[in-house]
Amino acid sequence: MSEPTVFVFANADLEGRSNRRMEEAGCRLTFGDEAWHVPGCVYEDDMAARAAEAVAMTGTSIRSAPVNRRIIEGALRLRIIAKCTVGTDDIDVDAATDLGVLVTHAPTQANWGGVAEGAMAMILTMLKRNREKDAHVKAGGWKHESLIGTYLGRRDEDGYAGLSVGIVGFGRIGGRMVELLKPWHVRLLVCDPFVDDAKFAEYGVERVDLDTLLADSDIVSLHPTLNPTSRRMMGAAQFRAMKQSALFVNTSRGGTMDEVALADAIAAGEIAGAALDVFLDEPMDRNSKLLDMGNEVLLSPHMISHNHGGGLGPGIQWAANAVLAALRGEVPDNVFNPDVLPRWRERFAGNALIA
């Protein structure tokens, strides 16, 4: 039995344990280039050439060099594209489905739970002005009215209703955000047209449309998957529809927002500020106006899910498990495009390339 080729297009297994598991199972691994992560690079020919002999592809996010239809079409023996992240927006999933290729992802609790915790940390950092307080004291200052924070929850004793927090996207991360925010006694507005009413009732939150959420929320936190309905869902009109005192938080995908419109909205005073872990290009454009906005913005390098004991670690193992299952002719867990399964089974079920 010849060695099946696994193309690791964006290596996240820096310790090499999952990569060694695939090699020990009889796979030959080839790797993508670091340069493919640089926005604007020319990559497609090289990626297509390396994918051509692959029976499996795996890796972390590679939005600057997505796995497109041409790359998938050229890999005639390809069985699976296994992501070690939750997101699959850097894969042409429709093309993979058309061509009979499985796409799997890794919605590990350490990953999506870490995103929700990180979003909460961003919100509290902005509301409580923690960075400003730290800088002020280190510069020799002490108490000052400019450092006063914002109280988040309801105060029954004096009738303060608390802030309204809008959650856009009610999947795993949006649901965890609701769980984290419930003890703060805020008003919770949630928008997700693809989720049944039963879940809103179960979590005890108000179901609203996006326009209502934007108009009524003091904090707008984005948690949708990136798809045709969510791409650039936050543009100039949406930022204008928010309160001038509102905070915008995006820990989902950079493609859900218009970054230029966001910077313009902050500069014009249409919203108060933003906290971002994701950007359209990653690494982000060094000419972005967002880099010059001081404490009005809080920026993170798409690492909000990276925590000790969590992060991509479990997802790397899940992706390796998916690759090995597919090469044994078995359907792996966490298939993102289940519509492909009948055709995939016809092509590959029981057809083992490894023991």
Side-chain angles (χ1 to χ4, degrees):
M1 187 180 295
S2 62
E3 288 184 320
T5 299
V6 176
F7 176 33
V8 184
F9 55 83
N11 186 33
D13 186 16
L14 301 183
E15 296 180 359
R17 285 180 289 187
S18 290
N19 288 343
R20 283 193 295 274
R21 280 182 56 214
M22 291 187 284
E23 289 176 329
E24 289 166 1
C27 302
R28 181 177 73 92
L29 270 57
T30 60
F31 295 88
D33 291 344
E34 285 294 321
W36 294 351
H37 294 271
V38 178
C41 65
V42 177
Y43 68 88
E44 189 173 315
D45 290 346
D46 288 342
M47 182 178 271
R50 294 189 206 186
E53 299 301 318
V55 294
M57 295 175 63
T58 186
T60 183
S61 297
I62 189 167
R63 265 172 296 284
S64 296
V67 180
N68 61 23
R69 180 177 288 270
R70 176 196 167 195
I71 292 165
I72 301 171
E73 281 180 336
L76 300 179
R77 300 176 62 220
L78 187 64
R79 297 186 175 202
I80 185 172
I81 303 169
K83 289 293 300 297
C84 59
T85 61
V86 176
T88 60
D89 49 289
D90 49 351
I91 309 297
D92 189 336
V93 177
D94 290 339
T97 303
D98 292 344
L99 297 164
V101 176
L102 287 175
V103 177
T104 62
H105 67 151
T108 65
Q109 185 170 349
N111 191 320
W112 58 261
V115 172
E117 291 175 355
M120 278 296 300
M122 284 182 146
I123 290 169
L124 291 171
T125 296
M126 296 289 282
L127 291 181
K128 303 303 180 183
R129 303 184 69 79
N130 291 335
R131 293 174 299 165
E132 295 90 330
K133 291 170 181 173
D134 175 73
H136 187 70
V137 172
K138 288 176 178 176
W142 200 238
K143 295 181 180 180
H144 191 272
E145 64 179 11
S146 66
L147 304 175
I148 296 174
T150 300
Y151 192 81
L152 186 61
R154 185 180 67 242
R155 291 198 305 266
D156 291 330
E157 66 274 14
D158 60 6
Y160 177 72
L163 299 185
S164 295
V165 181
I167 306 294
V168 181
F170 202 20
R172 296 178 183 88
I173 299 172
R176 180 56 60 86
M177 286 293 293
V178 168
E179 292 173 347
L180 294 175
L181 284 160
K182 273 291 185 77
W184 296 81
H185 303 294
V186 298
R187 180 189 178 200
L188 286 164
L189 309 176
V190 181
C191 173
D192 193 324
F194 304 105
V195 173
D196 292 337
D197 287 337
K199 183 172 182 178
F200 290 82
E202 176 189 351
Y203 280 76
V205 296
E206 294 181 52
R207 180 169 203 162
V208 297
D209 59 25
L210 183 60
D211 290 343
T212 301
L213 184 147
L214 296 176
D216 291 357
S217 297
D218 299 292
I219 301 161
V220 173
S221 190
L222 254 60
H223 303 285
T225 58
L226 183 61
N227 55 49
T229 63
S230 65
R231 191 174 296 278
R232 294 218 168 189
M233 66 184 302
M234 291 298 298
Q238 287 72 36
F239 293 123
R240 281 196 299 270
M242 291 171 59
K243 296 179 180 180
Q244 290 183 336
S245 58
L247 171 67
F248 174 72
V249 182
N250 191 358
T251 57
S252 60
R253 287 293 184 265
T256 59
M257 64 182 176
D258 183 332
E259 284 179 38
V260 174
L262 172 60
D264 289 344
I266 296 170
E270 293 173 349
I271 65 172
L276 309 172
D277 182 56
V278 292
F279 307 90
L280 183 60
D281 287 324
E282 295 179 358
M284 69 180 296
D285 183 354
R286 300 312 300 173
N287 295 314
S288 172
K289 295 179 183 178
L290 295 168
L291 293 169
D292 298 320
M293 291 190 158
N295 289 325
E296 289 180 292
V297 298
L298 175 62
L299 306 178
S300 168
H302 203 156
M303 286 188 66
I304 205 163
S305 67
H306 291 227
N307 298 282
H308 292 294
L312 293 179
I316 294 167
Q317 297 178 49
W318 286 24
N321 291 342
V323 167
L324 294 175
L327 298 190
R328 291 192 299 266
E330 303 167 0
V331 175
D333 295 330
N334 303 300
V335 174
F336 190 78
N337 58 339
D339 290 347
V340 80
L341 286 174
R343 183 178 177 193
W344 192 89
R345 287 190 174 101
E346 288 179 5
R347 297 177 67 200
F348 300 119
N351 180 6
L353 299 178
I354 60 174

Short mmCIF file of all heavy atoms in Angstrom, two decimals, residues 49 87 143 195 212 247 250 259 294 334 350:
data_model
loop_
_atom_site.label_atom_id
_atom_site.label_comp_id
_atom_site.label_asym_id
_atom_site.label_seq_id
_atom_site.Cartn_x
_atom_site.Cartn_y
_atom_site.Cartn_z
N ALA A 49 -0.57 23.12 -6.98
CA ALA A 49 0.42 22.10 -7.32
C ALA A 49 0.64 21.14 -6.16
O ALA A 49 0.75 19.92 -6.35
CB ALA A 49 1.74 22.77 -7.70
N GLY A 87 -14.31 27.73 12.14
CA GLY A 87 -14.68 28.37 10.89
C GLY A 87 -14.22 27.61 9.67
O GLY A 87 -13.14 27.00 9.65
N LYS A 143 -6.67 58.98 41.22
CA LYS A 143 -8.08 59.06 40.85
C LYS A 143 -8.38 60.28 39.99
O LYS A 143 -7.91 61.38 40.29
CB LYS A 143 -8.94 59.08 42.10
CG LYS A 143 -8.88 57.80 42.92
CD LYS A 143 -9.79 57.88 44.13
CE LYS A 143 -9.72 56.59 44.94
NZ LYS A 143 -10.60 56.63 46.13
N VAL A 195 -32.45 30.35 13.85
CA VAL A 195 -32.62 29.58 15.09
C VAL A 195 -34.10 29.57 15.47
O VAL A 195 -34.78 30.58 15.39
CB VAL A 195 -31.76 30.18 16.23
CG1 VAL A 195 -32.06 29.50 17.55
CG2 VAL A 195 -30.28 30.05 15.88
N THR A 212 -33.86 46.45 15.12
CA THR A 212 -34.23 46.73 16.51
C THR A 212 -33.03 46.55 17.43
O THR A 212 -32.80 47.37 18.34
CB THR A 212 -35.38 45.79 16.95
OG1 THR A 212 -36.49 46.00 16.10
CG2 THR A 212 -35.77 46.06 18.39
N LEU A 247 -21.00 50.44 21.98
CA LEU A 247 -19.75 49.73 21.72
C LEU A 247 -20.02 48.59 20.76
O LEU A 247 -20.98 47.83 20.93
CB LEU A 247 -19.18 49.19 23.04
CG LEU A 247 -17.99 48.24 22.96
CD1 LEU A 247 -16.76 48.98 22.44
CD2 LEU A 247 -17.71 47.63 24.34
N ASN A 250 -16.56 42.58 17.70
CA ASN A 250 -16.57 41.54 16.67
C ASN A 250 -15.48 40.51 16.97
O ASN A 250 -14.29 40.80 16.88
CB ASN A 250 -16.36 42.12 15.28
CG ASN A 250 -16.64 41.10 14.18
OD1 ASN A 250 -16.95 39.94 14.46
ND2 ASN A 250 -16.54 41.52 12.93
N GLU A 259 -14.62 47.36 7.55
CA GLU A 259 -13.68 47.99 8.48
C GLU A 259 -13.55 49.48 8.25
O GLU A 259 -13.41 50.26 9.20
CB GLU A 259 -12.30 47.33 8.35
CG GLU A 259 -12.21 45.98 9.00
CD GLU A 259 -10.82 45.37 8.83
OE1 GLU A 259 -9.82 46.12 8.90
OE2 GLU A 259 -10.74 44.15 8.60
N GLY A 294 -6.34 54.95 19.30
CA GLY A 294 -6.10 54.93 20.73
C GLY A 294 -7.07 54.04 21.48
O GLY A 294 -7.42 52.94 21.04
N ASN A 334 -18.05 15.53 12.92
CA ASN A 334 -18.04 16.97 12.66
C ASN A 334 -17.95 17.32 11.18
O ASN A 334 -17.20 18.21 10.77
CB ASN A 334 -16.88 17.64 13.43
CG ASN A 334 -16.96 17.38 14.93
OD1 ASN A 334 -17.95 17.76 15.56
ND2 ASN A 334 -15.95 16.73 15.47
N GLY A 350 -15.42 2.19 2.95
CA GLY A 350 -14.78 0.88 2.96
C GLY A 350 -13.53 0.80 2.14
O GLY A 350 -12.86 -0.24 2.14
#
